[in-house]
Amino acid sequence: MKQLISFEIKKMLRKPLVWAALTGLIVFIALMEYSWVVPGYACIQTENDGKRVTIEGFEAIAINKEISAAYCGPLTDEKARSIIETYDMPDSLWESNDIDPGREYHYSHNLLYDSLSANGFVNPDGSYKGTTVEEVFGALAPGMIIGYSTGWECTINVLLYSFLLWGCILVVIVSPVFSEEYTIHMDALILTGIHGRRKCTLAKIVSAFLITTVGSALLLSVCTLLHLSVHGSVGWDSSVQLGELGYFGSVPYQLNWLQLYGLSCIAWFGGMFVLTSIVLVVSALGKSSFSALVIAFVIYVVPMFLPWNILPESLELWGYLLPITQMQLLKLFRFDLIALGSLTFPPVYLAIPITVIISIAGILWSKRGFSRHQVV
Amino acid sequence: MELRIENLTKQYGTFIAINNLSAVLTCGVYGLLGANGAGKTTLMRLLCDIQLPTAGTICYDGENIREYGDRYRNVLGYLPQDFGYYPDFTAMKFLLYMSAIKGLSKSYAGQRSLELLDEVDLLQVKDKKIKTFSGGMKQRLGIAQAMLNDPKVLILDEPTSGLDPKERVRFRNLISSFSRNKIVLLSTHIVSDVEYIAGNILVMKKGEFIHKGKPDEIIHTVDGKVWECRVADREVPSLESRFNIGNMRTEGENIILRIISEEKPLEDAVNVTPNLEDLYLYYFSDEDHPQ
């Protein structure tokens, strides 16, 4: 069995198209990491002897961490006021640097100022609006924790796009698993071998899931290690609603970055396993490797463009639990906690039973599809 | 050892590819002769249990191959028509892969693959990628993979089509050398393939066996129907339109024609001893030409 799995993995990976796609993924991740995380867009604008000074890169990250350390912990009205008043820049400075104060929100002061600015604590001219934490966050206000979040937010963003692309590449890798045998007429040889219908078919399925698991784990590990090496783990307990970019500003329950990271892993891995299962079924039932590739790709990508929001909320949620919409995270995290008796949990947990059910169904269906396939 | 086909039928929609075939195959080489579309490939797929019959059974040593299951696959070697290879695999790796599918142990698979590569004269290129191989080399690799498990039933579907004459002779000799103590079924529409190596011939037309037997017995069925005559060059077109013409050769000013006809085609036509090619022309002249 081990030998068959090894052969099947080699067959899947030793294709110019796969290597080109993997190279593309690596370049994409490198560019994303450079733009977002290492050191990313980290930028602080401050005043020095009446001049606007811009600090970028690793130095900005270090200063942001220092500033965050001074304020980290529960977000209070006093902290909000202090941050905004301390780090707001006077109009005179913008004028002397020929910058329109009305567009101040386009320019970075520092992470914490930007977080509060994104959450509506700041007037258009950059000054404190007087809004309280409770007015902004309502019932969530008592649990809001401020801290250094840029690294987490950017890393999750990079991972999100990388997983979406990795899904496309997985379609390219997995869709020929069975269908290519039909195309090159190797199905006849495989199915006349003593292990053709059972072990070889199973080896193909195991190989596909191994590639999915190892590839996803590698992607996650590389991005996480880069994040930890550049930004450290600091800020893991701060609230996702206080992210500098505001991507997760509308999460309607308490969630910190580490929890979001964990839930995102469920969504990404679940999405990848469901995708692998679907592609295996398409491959086993497809007539040729090209048709299997096209059909699998359409099944993967099209749900991203469907207007799920026109459906009632209960149905809309299921639309966001399809592999690609689930891995996009953002819309899935806008749904409130699901209550099941006395138990409440984030909707992303639904991905676990869905993944288990679809994976089992996919394995059985694709196995049956190939082993009972009539050679033509 | 026997492979028994009983009332075998395969239907695709309304098209009957195999029509109520029955035959018993024992040790020896069987040539399955028929035009394209006669049902040869379908029959072979049914014999390999990779297609389900609409009706009828195939039994190996008295047991239905559907019930024999994997044990039947253990005694089966198959070389399909036009099968692809993994172009980036080397010959050796391909055989090792097929060995794994056929359930051979890793150590035996390595030894057996080298033996077979030697026998099919591919040992020197065992580490070369299959995409660099000629058609003949690929077919030799194909027969090597079919022989990996030392099968008792060897099914070869048009193994020599597309090969040049030299490769064809080489391939035929290989089949002969592998055929001892086996049931070998070789399908072809190339008459010379079966003429030299098949001890028995099954002639297939429109999904049915129209003749079964030893080559000499089958050839006798066209006794008295093969004629040779000497004609002028200008007469050939008119004769071609009226008769089923076999060989044509020029001798001086005249042409010697071999005509397959129930009746004497010309006054001076002489009845000659038929061969397998004549038999093919007799039965398949309306379908395609022999090679």
Side-chain angles (χ1 to χ4, degrees):
Chain A
M1 187 69 174
K2 270 187 200 166
Q3 202 189 359
L4 278 172
I5 291 171
S6 149
F7 273 120
E8 293 304 335
I9 289 174
K10 282 176 196 160
K11 272 164 64 183
M12 275 191 253
L13 296 181
R14 278 196 185 169
K15 289 187 181 111
L17 181 62
V18 169
W19 282 105
L22 286 173
T23 308
L25 177 67
I26 291 166
V27 171
F28 177 81
I29 293 171
L31 288 174
M32 289 281 283
E33 284 289 342
Y34 176 73
S35 311
W36 290 77
V37 180
V38 191
Y41 64 91
C43 173
I44 290 177
Q45 308 223 14
T46 185
E47 183 190 355
N48 191 4
D49 291 336
K51 286 208 163 195
R52 188 171 63 98
V53 176
T54 302
I55 301 162
E56 289 175 289
F58 292 105
E59 198 183 347
I61 291 173
I63 295 171
N64 256 330
K65 279 185 178 177
E66 275 174 33
I67 295 169
S68 301
Y71 291 95
C72 68
L75 178 66
T76 58
D77 296 340
E78 291 69 37
K79 269 188 196 173
R81 176 190 296 277
S82 166
I83 291 166
I84 293 165
E85 286 178 355
T86 308
Y87 297 105
D88 182 26
M89 280 184 275
D91 286 354
S92 57
L93 186 62
W94 295 103
E95 281 159 19
S96 65
N97 286 278
D98 207 18
I99 293 170
D100 176 7
R103 292 176 58 79
E104 187 177 344
Y105 58 91
H106 284 291
Y107 301 92
S108 185
H109 294 213
N110 66 46
L111 155 69
L112 298 186
Y113 183 94
D114 291 348
S115 295
L116 297 177
S117 175
N119 279 292
F121 285 89
V122 177
N123 285 316
D125 67 357
S127 60
Y128 181 50
K129 207 175 181 178
T131 322
T132 64
V133 176
E134 197 177 350
E135 280 168 351
V136 174
F137 295 109
L140 296 178
M144 297 309 290
I145 307 288
I146 196 160
Y148 180 77
S149 62
T150 307
W152 289 100
E153 193 169 26
C154 291
T155 295
I156 287 172
N157 215 33
V158 169
L159 276 166
L160 184 157
Y161 287 108
S162 301
F163 267 98
L164 292 180
L165 187 60
W166 169 226
C168 293
I169 293 164
L170 205 64
V171 169
V172 173
I173 295 174
V174 177
S175 65
V177 167
F178 296 113
S179 58
E180 189 181 44
E181 310 294 5
Y182 309 149
T183 304
I184 64 170
H185 304 296
M186 272 297 293
D187 51 342
L189 282 189
I190 292 171
L191 294 173
T192 48
I194 189 167
H195 292 324
R197 285 176 192 243
R198 292 190 182 89
K199 278 192 182 174
C200 182
T201 311
L202 198 60
K204 285 173 179 292
I205 293 169
V206 171
S207 309
F209 277 100
L210 266 177
I211 288 175
T212 303
T213 310
V214 172
S216 303
L218 207 61
L219 175 60
L220 192 68
S221 308
V222 168
C223 292
T224 306
L225 285 173
L226 280 171
H227 159 73
L228 292 175
S229 64
V230 175
H231 297 273
S233 62
V234 61
W236 63 269
D237 56 345
S238 58
S239 301
V240 298
Q241 291 85 349
L242 287 169
E244 185 183 2
L245 302 172
Y247 285 146
F248 296 94
S250 52
V251 176
Y253 45 91
Q254 294 290 358
L255 196 66
N256 66 38
W257 289 104
L258 191 61
Q259 288 168 330
L260 177 70
Y261 178 82
L263 293 177
S264 301
C265 289
I266 292 174
W268 291 325
F269 275 79
M272 295 310 282
F273 286 138
V274 169
L275 177 65
T276 305
S277 309
I278 293 170
V279 177
L280 280 171
V281 172
V282 170
S283 181
L285 302 181
K287 297 240 184 269
S288 69
S289 47
F290 181 73
S291 65
L293 174 68
V294 172
I295 293 167
F297 197 75
V298 167
I299 290 174
Y300 174 53
V301 172
V302 164
M304 190 163 76
F305 303 105
L306 297 179
W308 299 105
N309 55 353
I310 63 170
L311 296 173
E313 195 171 303
S314 55
L315 292 177
E316 187 189 354
L317 172 62
W318 295 104
Y320 296 127
L321 284 163
L322 292 166
I324 200 161
T325 46
Q326 176 178 305
M327 291 196 289
Q328 278 180 295
L329 304 178
L330 302 180
K331 287 176 181 164
L332 188 56
F333 279 96
R334 284 183 193 159
F335 286 87
D336 208 347
L337 296 172
I338 292 173
L340 206 66
S342 59
L343 192 70
T344 55
F345 56 88
V348 74
Y349 277 123
L350 290 175
I352 296 172
I354 289 174
T355 302
V356 172
I357 291 166
I358 294 183
S359 297
I360 292 171
I363 289 167
L364 296 176
W365 198 358
S366 57
K367 190 170 179 289
R368 188 188 163 96
F370 183 70
S371 61
R372 296 199 180 185
H373 153 75
Q374 301 279 294
V375 175
V376 287
Chain B
M1 187 169 51
E2 128 185 323
L3 198 59
R4 183 178 290 271
I5 303 165
E6 282 178 347
N7 307 318
L8 195 67
T9 299
K10 178 70 185 179
Q11 207 168 335
Y12 301 105
T14 55
F15 175 71
I16 300 170
I18 299 289
N19 191 8
N20 202 31
L21 285 188
S22 292
V24 178
L25 312 182
T26 53
C27 274
V29 179
Y30 290 80
L32 183 59
L33 196 60
N36 290 330
K40 303 187 297 290
T41 297
T42 303
L43 173 62
M44 297 199 139
R45 286 174 182 158
L46 293 168
L47 288 171
C48 289
D49 193 25
I50 50 177
Q51 271 195 2
L52 291 173
T54 310
T57 54
I58 300 163
C59 295
Y60 176 73
D61 278 352
E63 197 176 345
N64 192 325
I65 60 167
R66 301 289 306 160
E67 284 145 32
Y68 223 101
D70 287 342
R71 283 180 298 137
Y72 177 63
R73 286 172 164 69
N74 214 16
V75 298
L76 181 68
Y78 178 42
L79 174 60
Q81 184 184 2
D82 297 330
F83 81 98
Y85 296 78
Y86 306 114
D88 287 317
F89 271 31
T90 63
M92 185 67 183
K93 187 174 272 184
F94 178 70
L95 289 188
L96 290 176
Y97 176 63
M98 291 310 302
S99 302
I101 289 172
K102 286 169 184 269
L104 307 186
S105 73
K106 209 172 174 178
S107 56
Y108 177 67
Q111 177 201 328
R112 178 78 177 142
S113 299
L114 289 173
E115 266 172 34
L116 284 166
L117 284 170
D118 192 22
E119 283 187 59
V120 299
D121 205 14
L122 290 174
L123 195 58
Q124 301 296 316
V125 290
K126 71 181 173 65
D127 295 321
K128 290 231 163 105
K129 287 188 175 176
I130 301 174
K131 65 183 172 192
T132 65
F133 284 14
S134 67
M137 290 162 89
K138 284 180 186 167
Q139 286 300 78
R140 279 186 272 143
L141 183 62
I143 186 104
Q145 69 74 28
M147 289 299 298
L148 277 167
N149 54 335
D150 194 17
K152 301 286 179 221
V153 179
L154 183 58
I155 293 176
L156 309 168
D157 193 358
E158 308 239 4
T160 57
S161 83
L163 299 187
D164 63 38
K166 191 180 160 197
E167 276 286 4
R168 226 157 61 205
V169 171
R170 194 177 190 180
F171 199 82
R172 282 204 303 254
N173 293 338
L174 263 177
I175 295 167
S176 285
S177 70
F178 285 141
S179 64
R180 187 170 296 173
N181 297 324
K182 289 179 177 38
I183 298 170
V184 180
L185 184 61
L186 165 77
S187 97
T188 186
H189 60 278
I190 301 170
V191 174
S192 58
D193 284 350
V194 291
E195 200 161 25
Y196 291 107
I197 56 170
N200 294 277
I201 292 176
L202 305 166
V203 184
M204 207 172 171
K205 189 173 183 177
K206 291 179 179 159
E208 293 177 23
F209 290 141
I210 52 172
H211 281 294
K212 288 181 273 192
K214 305 217 172 286
D216 289 347
E217 294 165 8
I218 287 187
I219 290 167
H220 280 313
T221 63
V222 286
D223 272 352
K225 290 165 186 165
V226 185
W227 311 84
E228 258 190 16
C229 52
R230 181 182 293 265
V231 296
D233 197 12
R234 65 177 185 284
E235 292 175 77
V236 173
S238 128
L239 288 168
E240 271 186 322
S241 64
R242 286 160 53 208
F243 296 106
N244 186 3
I245 308 284
N247 278 336
M248 243 192 261
R249 74 173 190 277
T250 307
E251 261 188 25
E253 296 294 305
N254 296 321
I255 308 279
I256 309 291
L257 287 184
R258 198 172 172 96
I259 299 176
I260 293 94
S261 167
E262 297 280 350
E263 287 165 12
K264 196 173 186 179
L266 293 170
E267 198 59 38
D268 59 345
V270 180
N271 206 232
V272 292
T273 310
N275 59 31
L276 206 54
E277 192 172 83
D278 298 322
L279 175 121
Y280 189 99
L281 284 171
Y282 180 73
Y283 287 110
F284 302 111
S285 61
D286 53 335
E287 301 195 19
D288 63 13
H289 299 286
Q291 288 173 29

